[in-house]
């Protein structure tokens, strides 16, 4: 019988830094880190390696790789191939402050940042306190936009992978790994979690179980835990598009902030925000549970860069009665875009959106912004996004045009659908142990607590510390 002090499910930042903290602070503990994806050296995407123009259909007839998508799963989690922007702030990136005092959250984020620095992260960091930034902020306020300031360490995709490889090697001899291993169930005994069940039927036992399953595993986690009596509170879902324009339009923001994070309250009562900006970046495909979504990344090496900047424009939606499943809503909207584009995502010029007409291949070809995501299919996002969402996006674009003139040009591209799933939040204490099941800890994006690399990592460290404290008491 396999038995551990702690089994961590999910090798994203939550799981990795949780394991790292166990290894550093309590080296004697027997810890297993388990993920349904591949280890960091074996994560390969056929779109990139075989130059496919869309995700292949797997042996089960689903869109995507088997056993799981290498872009979003495996050691490093959803962010392994990401732009690696570490936001050194507690102003955004999650809701950890709802559980942990704000200054402690910042301390944990800096702690995770230091682990990255120790494993090869670049020391450069943005400074949000310059006169140039103040000038941008002034124009933003005049247009009704709030600029969220925070220091950003832009690691870049290729350096991010190297850091993950280094951390993987550091932990290898002290933390046990298991990859291509999907967890399908938990073993509960008298209100206590005592083990996990793999898809293969194998059972593994542990004194403590940490679930850091990310957005990828959020729906599965919710269904499983609700059936076990864990109460959930629904979170918001953010739906919108990935915007792409020429670098020159974003030059001032890119140079002074790297990532301009703006928030805007619309006339229809929604909040829109810019998110995950990628100067000289690429728009990419993200496959979540068979649903194809947009995302973006940028390489740190400028030789690998493009002439375009992309960022997400997201509208927050909350639901109550009679429908209260925000994730399901976003999946249905995204699936519609997949259907209309033959299994891909839609690209449309902002001009065509305003004119209410479909973008065609010819119109995209004639556009001044050359799409970096070649597999996106020209189409009509007006047939996909709800009116309220689209109206919010257009209002935000008009406001942004005062800060970055040219962004609301007819030639700007919208890719859809991009969605951020924040998952319902399970009822937990400030140690992230579920109230209903003892010894079961949930954290990260999958628990609706974080929405970024830094806070997810911080959450993992905190959970490890709380388990160690419990063991020591
Ligand atoms: C393309 C992209 C770019 C991004 N860029 C940035 C960025 O620049 N900055 C930033 O702050 N954030 C970024 N993010 C968000 C960031 O990656 C996430 O916030 C972060 O990875 C969440 O960490 P996590 O550990 O909670 O979950 P994840 O990283 O999602 O990891 C969860 C892991 O759990 C595994 N898993 C799920 N279910 C099971 C199961 N049943 N059995 C076994 N394993 C399972 C998955 O395989 C996955 O590896 C980006 C995300 C994407 C997709």
């Amino acid at each position: 019988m396999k038995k551990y002090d702690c089994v961590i499910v999910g090798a994203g930042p939550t799981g990795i830094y949780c394991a790292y903290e166990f290894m550093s602070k309590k080296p004697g503990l027997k810890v297993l880190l388990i993920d349904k994806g591949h280890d960091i050296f074996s994560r390969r995407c056929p779109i990139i390696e075989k130059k496919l123009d869309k995700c292949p259909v797997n042996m089960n007839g689903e869109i995507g790789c088997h056993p799981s998508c290498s872009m979003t799963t495996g050691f490093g989690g959803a962010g392994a191939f990401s732009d690696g922007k570490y936001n050194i702030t507690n102003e955004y990136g999650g809701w950890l402050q709802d559980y942990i005092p704000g200054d402690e959250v910042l301390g944990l984020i800096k702690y995770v940042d230091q682990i990255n620095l120790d494993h090869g992260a670049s020391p450069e960091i943005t400074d949000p306190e310059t006169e140039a930034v103040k000038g941008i902020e002034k124009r933003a306020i005049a247009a009704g936009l709030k600029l969220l300031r925070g220091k950003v360490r832009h690691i870049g995709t290729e350096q991010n992978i190297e850091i993950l490889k280094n951390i993987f090697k550091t932990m290898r001899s002290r933390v046990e790994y298991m990859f291509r291993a999907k967890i399908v169930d938990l073993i509960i005994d008298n209100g206590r979690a005592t083990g996990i069940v793999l898809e293969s039927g194998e059972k593994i036992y542990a004194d403590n179980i940490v679930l850091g399953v990310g957005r990828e595993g959020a729906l599965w986690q919710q269904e499983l835990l609700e059936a076990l009596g864990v109460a959930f509170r629904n979170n918001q879902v953010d739906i919108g598009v990935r915007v792409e324009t020429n670098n020159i339009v974003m030059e001032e923001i890119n140079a002074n902030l790297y990532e301009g994070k703006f928030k805007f309250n619309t006339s229809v009562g929604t909040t829109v925000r810019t998110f995950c900006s990628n100067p000289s970046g690429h728009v990419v495909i993200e496959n979540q549970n068979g649903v194809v979504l947009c995302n973006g990344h940028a390489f740190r090496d400028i030789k690998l860069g493009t002439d375009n900047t992309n960022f997400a424009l997201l509208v927050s939606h909350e639901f109550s009665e009679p429908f209260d499943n925000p994730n399901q809503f976003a999946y249905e909207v995204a699936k519609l875009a997949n259907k209309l584009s033959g299994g891909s995502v839609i690209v449309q010029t902002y001009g065509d959106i305003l004119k209410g007409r479909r973008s065609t291949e010819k119109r995209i070809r004639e556009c001044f912004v050359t799409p970096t995501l070649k597999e996106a299919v020209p189409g009509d996002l007006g047939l996909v996004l709800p009116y309220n969402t689209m109206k919010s996006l257009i209002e935000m674009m008009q406001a942004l045009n005062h800060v970055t003139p040219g962004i609301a040009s007819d030639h700007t591209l919208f890719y859809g659908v991009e969605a951020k799933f924040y998952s319902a939040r399970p009822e937990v204490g400030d140690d992230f142990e579920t109230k209903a099941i003892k010894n079961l800890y949930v954290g990260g994006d999958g628990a609706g607590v974080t929405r970024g690399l830094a806070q997810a990592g911080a959450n993992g460290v905190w959970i490890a510390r709380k388990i160690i404290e419990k063991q020591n008491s």
Side-chain angles (χ1 to χ4, degrees), residues 337-374:
N338 296 167
K339 197 162 267 175
L340 295 183
S341 59
S344 186
V345 292
I346 291 175
V347 59
Q348 189 175 12
T349 68
Y350 185 62
D352 284 338
I353 285 169
L354 294 181
K355 290 183 186 93
R357 68 181 191 187
R358 175 186 177 171
S359 281
T360 57
E361 275 187 29
K362 181 171 178 289
R363 286 178 188 145
I364 295 291
R365 234 187 356 259
E366 287 168 353
C367 182
F368 296 164
V369 182
T370 307
T372 54
L373 179 63
K374 303 295 176 208

Side-chain angles (χ1 to χ4, degrees), residues 153-194:
R153 187 179 311 284
H154 175 218
I155 290 171
T157 308
E158 63 283 66
Q159 199 182 81
N160 199 28
I161 297 284
E162 284 313 305
I163 294 165
L164 286 166
K165 284 181 179 169
N166 291 339
I167 294 177
F168 184 95
K169 288 189 223 157
T170 301
M171 294 202 297
R172 186 157 48 190
S173 57
R174 289 176 278 174
V175 171
E176 239 179 88
Y177 294 144
M178 191 184 267
F179 293 100
R180 296 170 60 91
K182 186 174 176 180
I183 311 308
V184 292
D185 208 353
L186 293 170
I187 305 167
I188 310 294
D189 186 9
N190 248 333
R192 290 182 180 275
T194 57

Side-chain angles (χ1 to χ4, degrees), residues 34 181 307 373:
I34 194 162
D307 293 333
L373 179 63

Side-chain angles (χ1 to χ4, degrees), residues 212-463:
V213 296
R215 295 200 292 265
E216 170 82 21
L219 280 178
W220 163 78
Q221 174 175 268
Q222 186 177 355
E223 279 167 21
L224 176 73
L225 297 191
E226 273 182 340
L228 293 169
V230 176
F232 276 78
R233 179 159 56 87
N234 270 334
N235 218 331
Q236 66 194 47
V237 71
D238 291 355
I239 309 178
V241 291
R242 177 106 342 217
V243 179
E244 188 167 48
T245 184
N246 293 317
N247 278 339
I248 192 141
V249 172
M250 300 294 292
E251 205 173 28
E252 189 190 4
I253 304 260
N254 292 352
N256 292 295
L257 285 158
Y258 186 79
E259 164 151 52
K261 280 193 181 286
F262 296 97
K263 235 166 76 170
F264 182 72
N265 295 330
T266 68
S267 67
V268 289
T270 51
T271 300
V272 192
R273 65 186 175 103
T274 58
F275 174 76
C276 182
S277 184
N278 296 292
S280 306
H282 296 258
V283 178
V284 296
I285 286 283
E286 179 187 330
N287 187 313
Q288 278 204 34
N289 300 311
V291 179
V292 181
L293 299 157
C294 310
N295 214 313
H297 71 181
F299 293 101
R300 201 179 157 76
D301 180 351
I302 46 167
K303 290 199 290 293
L304 301 171
T306 68
D307 293 333
N308 292 353
T309 293
N310 67 71
F311 59 86
L313 211 54
L314 298 169
V315 187
S316 302
H317 291 282
E318 285 179 36
F319 296 88
S320 53
E321 287 294 322
F323 177 83
D324 76 339
N325 193 333
N327 286 347
Q328 199 54 45
F329 176 79
Y331 276 125
E332 294 303 332
V333 173
K335 273 199 269 183
L336 188 54
N338 296 167
K339 197 162 267 175
L340 295 183
S341 59
S344 186
V345 292
I346 291 175
V347 59
Q348 189 175 12
T349 68
Y350 185 62
D352 284 338
I353 285 169
L354 294 181
K355 290 183 186 93
R357 68 181 191 187
R358 175 186 177 171
S359 281
T360 57
E361 275 187 29
K362 181 171 178 289
R363 286 178 188 145
I364 295 291
R365 234 187 356 259
E366 287 168 353
C367 182
F368 296 164
V369 182
T370 307
T372 54
L373 179 63
K374 303 295 176 208
E375 64 175 314
V377 177
D380 189 355
L381 287 165
L383 296 176
V384 174
L385 292 171
Y387 173 76
N388 170 300
T389 310
M390 188 62 100
K391 185 164 173 24
S392 305
L393 295 175
I394 292 170
E395 284 185 16
M396 174 69 159
M397 286 290 281
Q398 284 162 353
L400 277 177
N401 208 42
H402 293 284
V403 185
T404 47
I407 191 67
S409 136
D410 280 2
H411 295 269
T412 296
L413 297 175
F414 270 20
Y415 295 85
V417 169
E418 176 144 349
K420 297 297 167 212
F421 301 91
Y422 302 124
S423 326
R425 292 202 213 175
E427 209 189 340
V428 292
D430 62 8
D431 53 0
F432 295 90
E433 186 179 28
T434 61
K435 296 241 164 109
I437 305 169
K438 292 285 144 213
N439 305 343
L440 179 67
Y441 297 79
V442 286
D445 285 22
V449 173
T450 67
R451 61 179 186 197
L453 299 167
Q455 284 218 13
N459 198 183
V461 170
W462 178 263
I463 292 173

Side-chain angles (χ1 to χ4, degrees), residues 63-181:
I63 302 170
C65 290
H66 184 80
S68 60
C69 169
S70 252
M71 281 304 273
T72 52
T73 71
F75 192 91
F81 294 97
S82 84
D83 194 26
K85 283 187 293 291
Y86 263 76
N87 298 312
I88 320 286
T89 172
N90 55 13
E91 265 220 65
Y92 48 84
W95 299 272
L96 271 186
Q97 304 88 294
D98 293 355
Y99 306 83
I100 308 169
D103 52 344
E104 285 206 53
V105 173
L106 196 56
L108 288 161
I109 287 172
K110 288 182 178 166
Y111 182 81
V112 170
D113 184 45
Q114 188 56 50
I115 296 174
N116 290 337
L117 286 168
D118 294 344
H119 288 84
S122 145
E124 290 147 41
I125 196 157
T126 61
D127 178 4
E129 302 297 335
T130 61
E131 284 308 311
V133 173
K134 280 185 196 153
I136 294 170
E137 190 171 17
K138 248 189 203 168
R139 293 200 314 268
I141 291 167
L145 290 158
K146 178 170 166 51
L147 173 70
L148 304 175
R149 292 207 231 154
K151 289 189 177 174
V152 182
R153 187 179 311 284
H154 175 218
I155 290 171
T157 308
E158 63 283 66
Q159 199 182 81
N160 199 28
I161 297 284
E162 284 313 305
I163 294 165
L164 286 166
K165 284 181 179 169
N166 291 339
I167 294 177
F168 184 95
K169 288 189 223 157
T170 301
M171 294 202 297
R172 186 157 48 190
S173 57
R174 289 176 278 174
V175 171
E176 239 179 88
Y177 294 144
M178 191 184 267
F179 293 100
R180 296 170 60 91

